[in-house]
């Protein structure tokens, strides 16, 4: 593959990514999701108002129900845990390599 073809493919990928991000922004999907997260449902509002009327302790976290669905399973948990473990050891290794380089430079 020559350079010009490679550069054209890279620019095409950037353009496609730009178009997708622009379409998402223009459609209002992101703002819609943010609005849904901040708004309380009718039932939560009624419960809140009744608790205020009764003089009970109010914690807003109790009224905003987590609506996210977890799609994790044993495989995804295993992959995530393995990734975190590898990351931990790679970080230690990289820090020790740079520590040795630092000592060599300082001497």
């Amino acid at each position: 593959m020559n350079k010009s073809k490679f550069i054209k493919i890279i620019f095409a990928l950037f353009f496609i990514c730009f178009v997708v991000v622009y379409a998402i922004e223009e459609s209002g999907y992101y703002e819609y999701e943010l609005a849904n997260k901040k708004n309380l449902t009718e039932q939560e509002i009624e419960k809140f108002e009744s608790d205020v009327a009764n003089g009970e302790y109010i914690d807003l976290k109790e009224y905003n129900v987590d609506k996210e669905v977890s799609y994790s399973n044993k495989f995804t948990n295993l992959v995530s845990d393995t990734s975190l473990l590898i990351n931990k050891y790679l970080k230690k290794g990289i820090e020790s390599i740079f520590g040795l380089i630092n000592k060599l430079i300082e001497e």
Side-chain angles (χ1 to χ4, degrees), residues 23-81:
I24 289 172
E25 193 272 330
E26 283 299 313
S27 70
Y29 176 76
Y30 183 69
E31 287 81 12
Y32 175 75
E33 287 296 318
L34 288 177
N36 280 343
K37 286 182 182 179
K38 93 175 174 171
N39 292 335
L40 297 174
T41 63
E42 291 296 322
Q43 294 172 344
E44 292 165 340
I45 291 172
E46 289 174 7
K47 182 180 177 194
F48 177 77
E49 289 175 349
S50 68
D51 288 348
V52 168
N54 295 334
E56 295 180 19
Y57 174 75
I58 296 174
D59 184 13
L60 290 179
K61 292 178 183 177
E62 293 177 10
Y63 301 99
N64 194 2
V65 177
D66 187 19
K67 297 175 180 119
E68 289 187 27
V69 178
S70 174
Y71 294 104
S72 64
N73 55 34
K74 290 180 183 179
F75 179 72
T76 57
N77 291 338
L78 176 68
V79 171
S80 177
D81 292 342

